[in-house]
Amino acid sequence: MTTTSTSANAVPRWFRAEDCNLEDFKQVVSAATRLEDYPYADAVEQNVLIYGPRLHSYLDDPAERADVQAELAHALTEGPGIVVFKGAFPDLGVVDRATDAFNRLIAAQKAAGVTGGDHFAKPGANDRVWGALDKLALAEPEVFAEYYSSDILALVSEAWLGPNYQVTSQVNVVNPGGVAQRAHRDYHLGFMSAEQASAYPAHTHLLTPALTLQGAVAHCDMPLESGPTLYLPHSHKYAPGYVAFHREDFTEYFQANFAQLPLDKGDAAFFNPALFHGAGNNVSTDIKRMANLLQVSSAFGRAMETVDRTAMSKALYPVLLGMKSSGASQKALKNIVASSAEGYAFPTNLDRDQPIGGLAPQSQAELVLEHLGRSASHVALDGALDAQESRRRTGAR
Ligand SMILES: [Fe+2]
């Protein structure tokens, strides 16, 4: 691309839509995904990496788990930028119970006269549950707990973001006749016009994808006619992509060259938020395509949605106590806490919430796990959560 800096050899400091060059983009996306570079993967289909159920057998040994995570991080950076986990939820009963709970949330929303609108589709064409993470935890904590004990979500979130990640979830149902989205990149810089994104210096375009992991869990079988997501593997590596995706020539190229894979219920896809993608057309007559869209934020980033993690932790704690006493694994319990409680101690009020015996005060997740470890009562936990929340507020209040 043409640089906007004075030296021909310098990295451009600003990205502008008018400087983007489709030929450069084609060069980037012409990369091939080679299965031999990914020993834990089972297949490459349309340049997308596919991980099968055998992956689960490598996840209990810490050293092997770290190897798998290194491979996933490689796939999401130098690789195609997208991975599919077949059978991410091996027990489809868990997925079905979550589907039923989501349908109850949608029905309640409709009964209350709320239109689950969508920034990409006409109101009413889709059913959307925003903020589905805390809505599910508060309405049906048992269903939340079995669903978010999922080890694949923890595996890939830690691989991309490290510990103390913050999960958010939105349920999307694209009904028959639902139309495709225009190809785009995702949060953060993907939720801006090209002009707005251009105001952020080039290095932030390269940095912010590391702050978010984008994912989707298929809650029904998604044959191609139902319009599963369209992707352009390797497109996350085109540096000025956050301004380029707004251009017509890039949109047309995407339309002619996308990958689209059918998914089965219980499969999950995770991708670098800088990957060009968009939902497909649902040309089926009878498939209500339901996906749980997971947006997982780094502890160091700012999530798109607010989540009442104190209320979630209170609602889930009795379920966690019950699971502990019936012999649930420590890993399952930790995964549920990681998906619900705030894992990071900052920002806080350092007048009142001082680090004791370390560099950071206790996080909410640590507080929940500490109470769970000694099987404290839910009354004790509720009091401790409220006290912690109060300490973290600014001194002016
Ligand atoms: Fe998107």
Side-chain angles (χ1 to χ4, degrees), residues 12-350:
R13 305 319 314 180
W14 304 95
F15 291 136
R16 300 184 311 183
E18 57 269 36
D19 294 334
C20 296
N21 182 319
L22 186 61
E23 294 308 313
D24 293 342
F25 184 65
K26 287 182 191 172
Q27 182 84 30
V28 171
V29 300
S30 69
T33 310
R34 303 184 324 160
L35 184 59
E36 58 267 38
D37 294 338
Y38 301 92
Y40 292 103
D42 282 354
V44 172
E45 289 176 27
Q46 298 179 52
N47 247 355
V48 175
L49 280 164
I50 313 288
Y51 289 87
R54 79 181 169 96
L55 193 68
H56 294 261
S57 64
Y58 304 118
L59 304 184
D60 288 332
D61 174 65
E64 209 152 30
R65 187 181 179 92
D67 272 355
V68 171
Q69 290 180 315
E71 180 174 312
L72 293 173
H74 180 73
L76 294 169
T77 48
E78 293 92 346
I82 170 169
V83 295
V84 170
F85 298 102
K86 300 299 290 180
F89 285 79
D91 179 355
L92 293 182
V94 172
V95 179
D96 288 339
R97 286 188 283 281
T99 302
D100 292 344
F102 292 149
N103 280 326
R104 285 189 282 273
L105 289 175
I106 291 168
Q109 226 170 236
K110 284 185 176 163
V114 178
T115 311
D118 181 306
H119 39 264
F120 286 110
K122 278 184 281 186
N126 296 354
D127 291 310
R128 192 54 101 138
V129 183
W130 300 109
L133 195 83
D134 39 359
K135 284 178 184 164
L136 178 65
L138 298 191
E140 312 209 20
E142 293 85 2
V143 174
F144 182 102
E146 65 172 356
Y147 189 87
Y148 286 100
S149 65
S150 160
D151 202 28
I152 291 292
L153 176 60
L155 176 85
V156 67
S157 297
E158 281 172 7
W160 186 238
L161 307 164
N164 304 328
Y165 52 84
Q166 305 166 306
V167 179
T168 64
S169 139
Q170 301 163 358
V171 176
N172 192 30
V173 184
V174 177
N175 297 317
V179 294
Q181 290 176 339
R182 190 184 158 118
H184 62 276
R185 285 180 165 187
D186 269 339
Y187 190 70
H188 299 253
L189 289 163
F191 275 64
M192 295 182 189
S193 67
E195 191 183 13
Q196 288 168 331
S198 291
Y200 289 82
H203 66 271
T204 66
H205 290 234
L206 307 179
L207 178 154
T208 58
L211 299 176
T212 311
L213 177 66
Q214 207 66 37
V217 180
H219 276 250
C220 62
D221 289 343
M222 297 184 177
L224 292 187
E225 66 265 27
S226 72
T229 307
L230 320 174
Y231 302 101
L232 193 53
H234 299 278
S235 55
H236 62 296
K237 290 179 282 191
Y238 182 62
Y242 283 106
V243 291
F245 82 74
H246 296 278
R247 284 174 48 134
E248 207 53 48
D249 53 344
F250 283 73
T251 303
E252 283 167 15
Y253 182 81
F254 178 91
Q255 283 306 327
N257 294 281
F258 60 77
Q260 188 181 30
L261 297 175
L263 295 177
D264 297 318
K265 180 163 68 178
D267 293 350
F270 287 91
F271 57 97
N272 182 317
L275 193 77
F276 282 52
H277 68 280
N281 284 313
N282 185 347
V283 296
S284 74
T285 54
D286 57 350
I287 303 172
K288 294 184 163 201
R289 194 182 80 232
M290 179 189 277
N292 182 18
L293 307 181
L294 296 167
Q295 195 171 66
V296 191
S297 289
S298 160
F300 311 142
R302 292 219 256 180
M304 183 187 270
E305 285 190 306
T306 50
V307 178
D308 188 345
R309 297 189 182 277
T310 302
M312 288 179 77
S313 297
K314 289 179 180 177
L316 288 164
Y317 189 68
V319 179
L320 292 169
L321 277 178
M323 288 176 72
K324 184 189 171 194
S325 63
S326 44
S329 71
Q330 192 62 23
K331 188 159 77 170
L333 298 172
K334 276 188 170 171
N335 290 348
I336 298 163
V337 173
S339 292
S340 51
E342 174 56 63
Y344 197 53
F346 299 117
T348 191
N349 175 349
L350 287 172

